[in-house]
Coordinates of all heavy atoms in Angstrom, one line a residue:
M1 N 2.8 -36.4 -22.9 CA 1.5 -37.1 -22.5 C 0.4 -36.1 -22.4 O 0.5 -35.1 -21.6 CB 1.8 -37.8 -21.1 CG 0.6 -38.5 -20.6 SD 0.3 -40.1 -21.3 CE -1.2 -40.6 -20.5
A2 N -0.6 -36.3 -23.1 CA -1.8 -35.4 -23.1 C -2.5 -35.5 -21.8 O -2.4 -36.5 -21.2 CB -2.7 -35.7 -24.3
E3 N -3.2 -34.5 -21.4 CA -4.0 -34.5 -20.2 C -5.4 -35.0 -20.5 O -6.0 -34.6 -21.5 CB -4.2 -33.1 -19.7 CG -2.9 -32.5 -19.0 CD -2.8 -33.1 -17.6 OE1 -3.7 -32.9 -16.8 OE2 -1.8 -33.7 -17.3
P4 N -5.8 -35.9 -19.7 CA -7.2 -36.4 -19.9 C -8.2 -35.3 -19.5 O -7.9 -34.4 -18.8 CB -7.3 -37.6 -18.9 CG -6.3 -37.3 -17.8 CD -5.2 -36.5 -18.5
T5 N -9.4 -35.5 -20.1 CA -10.5 -34.5 -19.8 C -11.1 -34.9 -18.5 O -11.3 -36.1 -18.2 CB -11.5 -34.6 -20.9 OG1 -11.0 -34.3 -22.2 CG2 -12.7 -33.8 -20.6
I6 N -11.4 -33.9 -17.7 CA -12.0 -34.2 -16.3 C -13.5 -34.4 -16.6 O -14.2 -33.5 -17.0 CB -11.8 -33.0 -15.4 CG1 -10.3 -32.9 -15.1 CG2 -12.5 -33.2 -14.1 CD1 -9.9 -31.7 -14.3
A7 N -14.0 -35.7 -16.4 CA -15.3 -35.9 -16.6 C -16.2 -35.3 -15.5 O -17.2 -34.7 -15.7 CB -15.6 -37.4 -16.7
Q8 N -15.7 -35.6 -14.2 CA -16.3 -34.9 -13.1 C -15.3 -35.0 -12.0 O -14.4 -35.9 -11.9 CB -17.6 -35.6 -12.7 CG -17.5 -37.0 -12.1 CD -18.8 -37.5 -11.5 OE1 -19.9 -37.1 -12.0 NE2 -18.8 -38.3 -10.5
R9 N -15.4 -34.1 -11.0 CA -14.4 -34.0 -10.0 C -14.8 -34.7 -8.7 O -14.7 -34.3 -7.6 CB -14.2 -32.5 -9.6 CG -13.5 -31.7 -10.7 CD -13.5 -30.2 -10.4 NE -12.8 -29.5 -11.5 CZ -11.5 -29.2 -11.5 NH1 -10.8 -29.6 -10.4 NH2 -10.9 -28.6 -12.5
S10 N -15.3 -35.9 -9.0 CA -15.6 -36.8 -7.9 C -15.8 -38.2 -8.5 O -15.9 -38.4 -9.7 CB -17.0 -36.4 -7.2 OG -18.0 -36.4 -8.2
P11 N -15.7 -39.3 -7.6 CA -15.8 -40.6 -8.1 C -17.2 -41.0 -8.6 O -18.1 -40.4 -8.2 CB -15.3 -41.5 -7.0 CG -15.6 -40.7 -5.8 CD -15.4 -39.3 -6.2
F12 N -17.3 -42.1 -9.4 CA -18.5 -42.7 -9.7 C -18.7 -44.0 -8.9 O -18.0 -45.0 -9.2 CB -18.6 -43.1 -11.2 CG -18.5 -42.0 -12.2 CD1 -17.4 -41.4 -12.7 CD2 -19.7 -41.4 -12.6 CE1 -17.4 -40.4 -13.6 CE2 -19.7 -40.4 -13.6 CZ -18.6 -39.9 -14.0
P13 N -19.6 -44.0 -7.9 CA -19.8 -45.3 -7.3 C -20.5 -46.2 -8.2 O -21.4 -45.8 -8.9 CB -20.8 -44.9 -6.1 CG -20.8 -43.4 -6.1 CD -20.4 -43.0 -7.4
F14 N -20.2 -47.5 -8.2 CA -20.8 -48.5 -9.1 C -20.6 -49.8 -8.5 O -19.6 -50.2 -8.1 CB -20.0 -48.4 -10.5 CG -20.7 -49.2 -11.6 CD1 -21.8 -48.6 -12.3 CD2 -20.4 -50.5 -11.8 CE1 -22.4 -49.4 -13.3 CE2 -21.0 -51.2 -12.8 CZ -22.0 -50.7 -13.5
E15 N -21.7 -50.6 -8.6 CA -21.7 -52.0 -8.1 C -21.2 -52.9 -9.2 O -21.9 -53.1 -10.3 CB -23.1 -52.5 -7.6 CG -22.9 -53.8 -6.9 CD -24.2 -54.3 -6.3 OE1 -24.5 -53.7 -5.2 OE2 -24.7 -55.3 -6.7
V16 N -20.0 -53.5 -9.1 CA -19.5 -54.4 -10.1 C -19.9 -55.9 -9.6 O -20.3 -56.1 -8.5 CB -18.0 -54.4 -10.1 CG1 -17.5 -53.0 -10.7 CG2 -17.3 -54.7 -8.8
T17 N -20.0 -56.8 -10.6 CA -20.4 -58.1 -10.4 C -19.3 -59.1 -10.7 O -18.6 -59.0 -11.6 CB -21.6 -58.4 -11.4 OG1 -22.6 -57.4 -11.2 CG2 -22.1 -59.8 -11.2
T18 N -19.1 -60.0 -9.8 CA -18.1 -61.1 -9.8 C -18.0 -61.7 -11.3 O -19.1 -62.0 -11.8 CB -18.4 -62.2 -8.8 OG1 -18.6 -61.7 -7.6 CG2 -17.3 -63.2 -8.8
G19 N -16.8 -61.7 -11.8 CA -16.6 -62.4 -13.1 C -16.9 -61.5 -14.3 O -16.6 -61.9 -15.4
K20 N -17.4 -60.2 -14.1 CA -17.6 -59.4 -15.2 C -16.4 -58.4 -15.4 O -15.7 -58.1 -14.5 CB -18.8 -58.5 -15.0 CG -20.1 -59.2 -15.2 CD -21.3 -58.2 -15.4 CE -22.6 -58.9 -15.8 NZ -23.7 -58.0 -16.0
S21 N -16.2 -58.0 -16.7 CA -15.1 -57.1 -17.0 C -15.7 -55.8 -17.3 O -16.8 -55.6 -17.9 CB -14.4 -57.6 -18.2 OG -13.7 -58.8 -17.9
Y22 N -15.0 -54.7 -16.9 CA -15.4 -53.3 -17.1 C -14.2 -52.6 -17.8 O -13.1 -52.8 -17.5 CB -15.8 -52.7 -15.8 CG -16.9 -53.4 -15.0 CD1 -16.6 -54.5 -14.2 CD2 -18.2 -53.1 -15.3 CE1 -17.6 -55.2 -13.6 CE2 -19.2 -53.8 -14.7 CZ -18.9 -54.8 -13.9 OH -20.0 -55.6 -13.3
W23 N -14.6 -51.6 -18.6 CA -13.6 -50.8 -19.3 C -13.8 -49.4 -18.9 O -14.6 -48.7 -19.4 CB -13.7 -51.0 -20.8 CG -13.5 -52.4 -21.2 CD1 -14.5 -53.4 -21.3 CD2 -12.3 -53.0 -21.6 NE1 -13.9 -54.7 -21.6 CE2 -12.6 -54.4 -21.8 CE3 -11.0 -52.6 -21.7 CZ2 -11.5 -55.3 -22.2 CZ3 -10.0 -53.4 -22.1 CH2 -10.3 -54.8 -22.4
W24 N -12.9 -49.0 -18.0 CA -12.9 -47.6 -17.5 C -12.4 -46.6 -18.5 O -11.3 -46.8 -19.1 CB -12.0 -47.6 -16.2 CG -11.9 -46.2 -15.5 CD1 -12.8 -45.6 -14.8 CD2 -10.8 -45.4 -15.6 NE1 -12.4 -44.4 -14.4 CE2 -11.1 -44.3 -14.8 CE3 -9.5 -45.5 -16.2 CZ2 -10.2 -43.2 -14.7 CZ3 -8.6 -44.5 -16.0 CH2 -8.9 -43.3 -15.2
C25 N -13.1 -45.6 -18.7 CA -12.6 -44.5 -19.6 C -11.5 -43.7 -19.1 O -11.7 -43.1 -17.9 CB -13.8 -43.5 -19.9 SG -13.4 -42.0 -20.8
A26 N -10.4 -43.8 -19.7 CA -9.2 -43.0 -19.2 C -9.1 -41.6 -19.8 O -8.4 -40.8 -19.2 CB -7.9 -43.8 -19.6
C27 N -9.7 -41.4 -21.0 CA -9.5 -40.1 -21.7 C -10.5 -39.0 -21.1 O -10.2 -37.9 -21.3 CB -9.8 -40.3 -23.2 SG -11.5 -40.6 -23.6
G28 N -11.6 -39.5 -20.5 CA -12.5 -38.5 -20.0 C -13.6 -38.1 -21.0 O -14.5 -37.3 -20.6
R29 N -13.6 -38.5 -22.2 CA -14.5 -38.0 -23.2 C -15.7 -38.9 -23.4 O -16.6 -38.4 -24.2 CB -13.7 -38.0 -24.6 CG -12.6 -37.0 -24.7 CD -12.0 -37.1 -26.1 NE -10.7 -36.5 -26.2 CZ -9.9 -36.6 -27.2 NH1 -10.3 -37.3 -28.3 NH2 -8.8 -36.0 -27.2
S30 N -15.8 -40.0 -22.8 CA -16.9 -40.9 -23.0 C -18.2 -40.2 -22.5 O -18.2 -39.5 -21.5 CB -16.7 -42.2 -22.2 OG -17.9 -43.0 -22.2
K31 N -19.3 -40.5 -23.2 CA -20.6 -40.0 -22.8 C -21.3 -41.0 -21.9 O -22.4 -40.8 -21.5 CB -21.5 -39.7 -24.0 CG -20.9 -38.7 -25.0 CD -21.2 -37.3 -24.5 CE -20.8 -36.2 -25.4 NZ -19.3 -35.9 -25.4
N32 N -20.6 -42.1 -21.7 CA -21.1 -43.2 -20.8 C -20.3 -43.4 -19.6 O -19.8 -44.5 -19.3 CB -21.2 -44.5 -21.7 CG -21.9 -45.6 -20.9 OD1 -22.8 -45.4 -20.1 ND2 -21.4 -46.8 -21.2
Q33 N -19.9 -42.3 -18.9 CA -19.0 -42.4 -17.8 C -19.6 -43.3 -16.7 O -20.8 -43.4 -16.5 CB -18.8 -41.0 -17.2 CG -18.0 -40.1 -18.1 CD -16.6 -40.6 -18.3 OE1 -16.0 -41.2 -17.5 NE2 -16.1 -40.2 -19.5
P34 N -18.7 -44.1 -16.0 CA -17.2 -43.9 -16.1 C -16.6 -44.9 -17.1 O -15.4 -45.1 -17.1 CB -16.8 -44.4 -14.6 CG -17.7 -45.4 -14.2 CD -19.1 -45.0 -14.9
F35 N -17.4 -45.4 -18.0 CA -16.9 -46.4 -18.9 C -16.6 -45.9 -20.3 O -17.2 -44.8 -20.7 CB -17.9 -47.6 -19.0 CG -18.3 -48.1 -17.6 CD1 -19.5 -48.0 -17.1 CD2 -17.2 -48.7 -16.9 CE1 -19.8 -48.5 -15.8 CE2 -17.5 -49.2 -15.6 CZ -18.8 -49.1 -15.1
C36 N -15.8 -46.6 -21.0 CA -15.4 -46.3 -22.4 C -16.5 -46.4 -23.3 O -17.2 -47.4 -23.3 CB -14.2 -47.1 -22.8 SG -13.7 -46.9 -24.5
D37 N -16.8 -45.5 -24.2 CA -17.7 -45.6 -25.3 C -17.0 -45.5 -26.7 O -17.7 -45.3 -27.7 CB -18.8 -44.6 -25.2 CG -18.4 -43.2 -25.5 OD1 -17.2 -42.9 -25.7 OD2 -19.3 -42.3 -25.5
G38 N -15.7 -45.5 -26.7 CA -15.0 -45.5 -28.0 C -14.6 -44.1 -28.4 O -13.9 -43.9 -29.4
S39 N -15.0 -43.1 -27.5 CA -14.6 -41.7 -27.9 C -13.1 -41.4 -27.8 O -12.7 -40.3 -28.3 CB -15.4 -40.7 -27.0 OG -16.8 -40.9 -27.1
H40 N -12.3 -42.3 -27.3 CA -10.9 -42.0 -27.2 C -10.2 -42.2 -28.6 O -9.0 -41.8 -28.7 CB -10.3 -43.0 -26.2 CG -10.4 -44.4 -26.6 ND1 -11.5 -45.2 -26.3 CD2 -9.6 -45.2 -27.4 CE1 -11.4 -46.4 -26.8 NE2 -10.2 -46.4 -27.5
K41 N -10.9 -42.7 -29.5 CA -10.3 -43.0 -30.8 C -9.6 -41.8 -31.4 O -10.2 -40.7 -31.4 CB -11.3 -43.5 -31.8 CG -11.7 -45.0 -31.5 CD -12.3 -45.7 -32.7 CE -12.7 -47.1 -32.4 NZ -14.0 -47.2 -31.6
G42 N -8.4 -41.9 -31.8 CA -7.6 -40.8 -32.4 C -6.8 -40.1 -31.3 O -6.0 -39.3 -31.7
S43 N -7.0 -40.4 -30.0 CA -6.2 -39.8 -29.0 C -5.2 -40.9 -28.5 O -5.2 -42.0 -29.0 CB -7.1 -39.5 -27.8 OG -7.5 -40.6 -27.0
E44 N -4.3 -40.5 -27.6 CA -3.3 -41.4 -27.1 C -3.8 -42.3 -26.0 O -3.1 -43.0 -25.4 CB -2.0 -40.7 -26.7 CG -2.2 -39.8 -25.6 CD -1.0 -38.9 -25.4 OE1 -0.7 -38.0 -26.3 OE2 -0.2 -39.1 -24.4
F45 N -5.1 -42.1 -25.6 CA -5.7 -42.8 -24.5 C -6.3 -44.1 -24.9 O -6.8 -44.2 -26.0 CB -6.7 -41.9 -23.8 CG -6.1 -40.7 -23.1 CD1 -6.1 -39.5 -23.7 CD2 -5.5 -40.9 -21.8 CE1 -5.6 -38.4 -23.1 CE2 -4.9 -39.8 -21.2 CZ -4.9 -38.5 -21.9
S46 N -6.3 -45.1 -24.0 CA -7.1 -46.2 -24.2 C -7.7 -46.7 -22.9 O -7.1 -46.3 -21.8 CB -6.3 -47.4 -24.8 OG -5.0 -47.5 -24.1
P47 N -8.8 -47.4 -22.9 CA -9.5 -47.7 -21.6 C -8.7 -48.7 -20.8 O -7.8 -49.4 -21.3 CB -10.8 -48.3 -22.0 CG -10.5 -48.9 -23.4 CD -9.6 -47.9 -24.0
I48 N -8.9 -48.7 -19.5 CA -8.3 -49.7 -18.6 C -9.3 -50.7 -18.1 O -10.4 -50.4 -17.7 CB -7.7 -48.9 -17.3 CG1 -6.6 -48.0 -17.7 CG2 -7.3 -49.9 -16.2 CD1 -6.0 -47.2 -16.6
Q49 N -8.9 -52.0 -18.3 CA -9.8 -53.1 -18.0 C -9.8 -53.4 -16.5 O -8.7 -53.4 -15.9 CB -9.4 -54.3 -18.8 CG -10.3 -55.5 -18.6 CD -10.0 -56.7 -19.4 OE1 -9.0 -56.7 -20.2 NE2 -10.7 -57.8 -19.3
Y50 N -10.9 -53.7 -16.0 CA -11.0 -54.1 -14.6 C -11.9 -55.3 -14.6 O -13.1 -55.4 -15.0 CB -11.7 -53.0 -13.7 CG -12.0 -53.5 -12.3 CD1 -11.0 -53.9 -11.4 CD2 -13.3 -53.6 -11.9 CE1 -11.3 -54.4 -10.2 CE2 -13.7 -54.0 -10.6 CZ -12.6 -54.5 -9.8 OH -12.9 -54.9 -8.6
D51 N -11.4 -56.4 -14.0 CA -12.1 -57.7 -13.9 C -12.5 -57.8 -12.5 O -11.7 -58.0 -11.6 CB -11.2 -58.9 -14.3 CG -10.7 -58.7 -15.8 OD1 -11.5 -58.4 -16.6 OD2 -9.5 -59.0 -16.0
A52 N -13.8 -57.8 -12.2 CA -14.3 -57.9 -10.9 C -14.2 -59.3 -10.3 O -14.6 -60.3 -11.0 CB -15.8 -57.5 -10.8
T53 N -13.6 -59.4 -9.1 CA -13.4 -60.8 -8.5 C -14.4 -60.9 -7.4 O -14.5 -62.0 -6.8 CB -12.0 -60.9 -7.9 OG1 -11.7 -59.8 -7.1 CG2 -10.9 -61.0 -9.0
E54 N -15.2 -59.8 -7.1 CA -16.2 -60.0 -6.1 C -17.3 -58.9 -6.5 O -17.0 -57.9 -7.1 CB -15.8 -59.8 -4.7 CG -15.1 -58.6 -4.4 CD -14.6 -58.5 -2.9 OE1 -15.4 -58.9 -2.1 OE2 -13.4 -58.2 -2.7
T55 N -18.5 -59.2 -6.0 CA -19.6 -58.3 -6.2 C -19.6 -57.2 -5.1 O -19.7 -57.6 -3.9 CB -20.9 -59.0 -6.3 OG1 -21.0 -59.9 -7.4 CG2 -22.1 -58.0 -6.4
K56 N -19.4 -56.0 -5.4 CA -19.2 -54.9 -4.4 C -19.3 -53.6 -5.1 O -19.2 -53.5 -6.3 CB -17.9 -55.0 -3.7 CG -16.7 -54.8 -4.6 CD -15.4 -54.9 -3.8 CE -14.2 -54.7 -4.7 NZ -12.9 -54.7 -4.0
T57 N -19.5 -52.6 -4.3 CA -19.5 -51.2 -4.8 C -18.0 -50.7 -4.9 O -17.4 -50.7 -3.8 CB -20.4 -50.3 -4.0 OG1 -21.7 -50.8 -4.1 CG2 -20.3 -48.9 -4.5
V58 N -17.6 -50.2 -6.0 CA -16.3 -49.6 -6.1 C -16.5 -48.1 -6.6 O -17.6 -47.8 -6.9 CB -15.4 -50.3 -7.2 CG1 -15.2 -51.8 -6.8 CG2 -16.0 -50.3 -8.6
F59 N -15.4 -47.4 -6.5 CA -15.5 -45.9 -6.8 C -14.5 -45.7 -7.9 O -13.3 -45.5 -7.7 CB -15.2 -45.1 -5.5 CG -16.2 -45.3 -4.5 CD1 -16.2 -46.3 -3.6 CD2 -17.3 -44.4 -4.4 CE1 -17.2 -46.5 -2.6 CE2 -18.3 -44.5 -3.4 CZ -18.2 -45.6 -2.5
F60 N -15.1 -45.6 -9.1 CA -14.3 -45.4 -10.3 C -14.0 -43.8 -10.4 O -14.8 -43.0 -10.1 CB -15.0 -45.7 -11.6 CG -15.1 -47.2 -11.8 CD1 -16.4 -47.9 -11.7 CD2 -14.0 -47.9 -12.2 CE1 -16.5 -49.3 -12.0 CE2 -14.1 -49.3 -12.4 CZ -15.3 -50.0 -12.3
C61 N -12.7 -43.6 -10.7 CA -12.3 -42.2 -10.8 C -13.0 -41.5 -11.9 O -13.1 -41.9 -13.0 CB -10.8 -42.2 -11.1 SG -10.1 -40.6 -11.5
G62 N -13.6 -40.3 -11.6 CA -14.2 -39.5 -12.5 C -13.3 -38.4 -13.1 O -13.6 -37.8 -14.2
C63 N -12.3 -38.0 -12.3 CA -11.5 -36.9 -12.8 C -10.4 -37.3 -13.8 O -9.8 -36.5 -14.5 CB -10.8 -36.2 -11.5 SG -9.5 -37.1 -10.8
K64 N -10.1 -38.6 -13.8 CA -9.2 -39.2 -14.7 C -7.7 -39.0 -14.3 O -6.8 -39.3 -15.1 CB -9.5 -38.9 -16.2 CG -10.9 -39.0 -16.6 CD -11.5 -40.4 -16.4 CE -12.9 -40.5 -16.8 NZ -13.5 -41.8 -16.5
H65 N -7.5 -38.4 -13.2 CA -6.2 -38.1 -12.8 C -5.7 -38.9 -11.6 O -4.6 -38.6 -11.0 CB -6.0 -36.6 -12.4 CG -6.1 -35.7 -13.6 ND1 -7.2 -35.4 -14.3 CD2 -5.1 -34.9 -14.2 CE1 -6.9 -34.6 -15.3 NE2 -5.7 -34.3 -15.2
S66 N -6.4 -39.9 -11.2 CA -6.0 -40.7 -10.0 C -4.7 -41.4 -10.2 O -4.3 -41.8 -11.3 CB -7.1 -41.8 -9.8 OG -6.7 -42.7 -8.8
G67 N -4.0 -41.6 -9.1 CA -2.7 -42.4 -9.2 C -3.0 -43.8 -9.0 O -2.1 -44.7 -9.1
G68 N -4.2 -44.2 -8.8 CA -4.6 -45.6 -8.6 C -5.8 -46.0 -9.6 O -6.7 -46.7 -9.2
K69 N -5.5 -45.6 -10.9 CA -6.6 -45.9 -11.9 C -6.9 -47.4 -12.0 O -6.0 -48.2 -11.9 CB -6.0 -45.5 -13.3 CG -5.7 -44.0 -13.4 CD -5.1 -43.7 -14.8 CE -4.9 -42.2 -14.9 NZ -3.8 -41.7 -14.1
P70 N -8.1 -47.8 -12.2 CA -9.3 -46.9 -12.5 C -10.0 -46.4 -11.3 O -11.1 -45.9 -11.5 CB -10.1 -48.0 -13.3 CG -10.0 -49.2 -12.6 CD -8.5 -49.2 -12.2
F71 N -9.5 -46.5 -10.1 CA -10.3 -46.1 -8.9 C -9.8 -44.7 -8.4 O -8.7 -44.3 -8.6 CB -10.1 -47.1 -7.9 CG -10.5 -48.5 -8.3 CD1 -9.6 -49.5 -8.5 CD2 -11.9 -48.7 -8.7 CE1 -10.0 -50.8 -8.9 CE2 -12.3 -50.0 -9.2 CZ -11.3 -51.0 -9.3
C72 N -10.7 -44.1 -7.7 CA -10.5 -42.8 -7.1 C -9.5 -43.0 -6.0 O -9.7 -43.9 -5.1 CB -11.8 -42.2 -6.5 SG -11.6 -40.7 -5.5
D73 N -8.5 -42.1 -5.9 CA -7.5 -42.2 -4.7 C -7.5 -40.8 -4.0 O -6.6 -40.6 -3.3 CB -6.2 -42.6 -5.2 CG -5.5 -41.5 -6.0 OD1 -6.1 -40.5 -6.4 OD2 -4.3 -41.6 -6.3
G74 N -8.5 -40.0 -4.3 CA -8.5 -38.7 -3.7 C -7.8 -37.5 -4.4 O -8.0 -36.4 -4.0
T75 N -7.2 -37.9 -5.5 CA -6.4 -36.8 -6.3 C -7.4 -35.7 -6.7 O -6.9 -34.6 -6.9 CB -5.7 -37.5 -7.5 OG1 -4.8 -38.5 -7.0 CG2 -5.0 -36.5 -8.4
H76 N -8.6 -36.1 -7.0 CA -9.6 -35.1 -7.5 C -9.6 -33.8 -6.6 O -9.9 -32.7 -7.1 CB -11.0 -35.6 -7.7 CG -11.6 -36.1 -6.4 ND1 -11.5 -37.4 -5.9 CD2 -12.3 -35.4 -5.5 CE1 -12.2 -37.5 -4.8 NE2 -12.6 -36.3 -4.5
S77 N -9.4 -33.9 -5.4 CA -9.5 -32.8 -4.5 C -8.3 -31.9 -4.5 O -8.3 -30.8 -4.0 CB -9.6 -33.3 -3.0 OG -8.5 -34.0 -2.6
K78 N -7.2 -32.4 -5.2 CA -6.0 -31.5 -5.4 C -5.8 -30.9 -6.8 O -4.9 -30.2 -7.1 CB -4.8 -32.4 -5.0 CG -4.8 -33.0 -3.7 CD -3.5 -33.7 -3.4 CE -3.6 -34.7 -2.3 NZ -3.9 -36.1 -2.7
L79 N -6.8 -31.2 -7.6 CA -6.7 -30.7 -9.0 C -7.0 -29.2 -9.0 O -7.8 -28.7 -8.3 CB -7.7 -31.3 -9.9 CG -7.5 -32.8 -10.2 CD1 -8.6 -33.4 -11.0 CD2 -6.2 -33.1 -10.8
P80 N -6.2 -28.4 -9.9 CA -6.4 -27.0 -10.0 C -7.8 -26.7 -10.6 O -8.4 -27.5 -11.3 CB -5.3 -26.5 -10.9 CG -4.9 -27.7 -11.6 CD -5.1 -28.9 -10.8
Ligands
LIG101 FE1 -12.4 -42.6 -22.9 FE2 -12.5 -44.8 -24.4 S1 -13.9 -43.2 -24.4 S2 -11.0 -44.3 -22.9
LIG102 FE1 -10.3 -39.0 -9.7 FE2 -11.1 -39.1 -7.2 S1 -12.4 -38.8 -8.9 S2 -9.1 -39.3 -8.0

């Protein structure tokens, strides 16, 4: 399993809207973080879909190493 690229070592706060779908970048290469822009093509990564069931601010993982993808679980603070 290839290692994802660390986009940033902190989460991306983002207000999601009820009923909308979001595609979180898992590979870390997107130029439109924290979302997929297609840059994963040719890698073994693919985006993770998140369907918002309420309008609220969530914290998408920026380091791409979270154990609770697509959200930050604090793993970024333990990365070497
Ligand atoms: Fe990273 Fe698509 S650009 S998963
Ligand atoms: Fe990835 Fe926090 S930003 S776990």
Side-chain angles (χ1 to χ4, degrees):
M1 178 81 182
E3 283 284 301
T5 299
I6 296 172
Q8 69 173 32
R9 293 173 178 266
S10 56
F12 290 93
F14 188 86
E15 186 173 293
V16 297
T17 302
T18 308
K20 282 199 174 180
S21 295
Y22 301 87
W23 298 87
W24 176 78
C25 168
C27 72
R29 295 182 194 170
S30 173
K31 297 282 187 278
N32 184 35
Q33 293 294 333
F35 305 115
C36 174
D37 71 353
S39 297
H40 62 271
K41 285 199 182 77
S43 76
E44 62 191 72
F45 294 99
S46 48
I48 293 179
Q49 182 176 1
Y50 170 64
D51 299 320
T53 54
E54 57 182 312
T55 296
K56 63 177 178 180
T57 298
V58 300
F59 294 84
F60 285 110
C61 171
C63 73
K64 312 302 179 183
H65 287 72
S66 173
K69 299 176 178 65
F71 303 114
C72 173
D73 72 350
T75 298
H76 62 268
S77 62
K78 302 186 196 94
L79 292 176

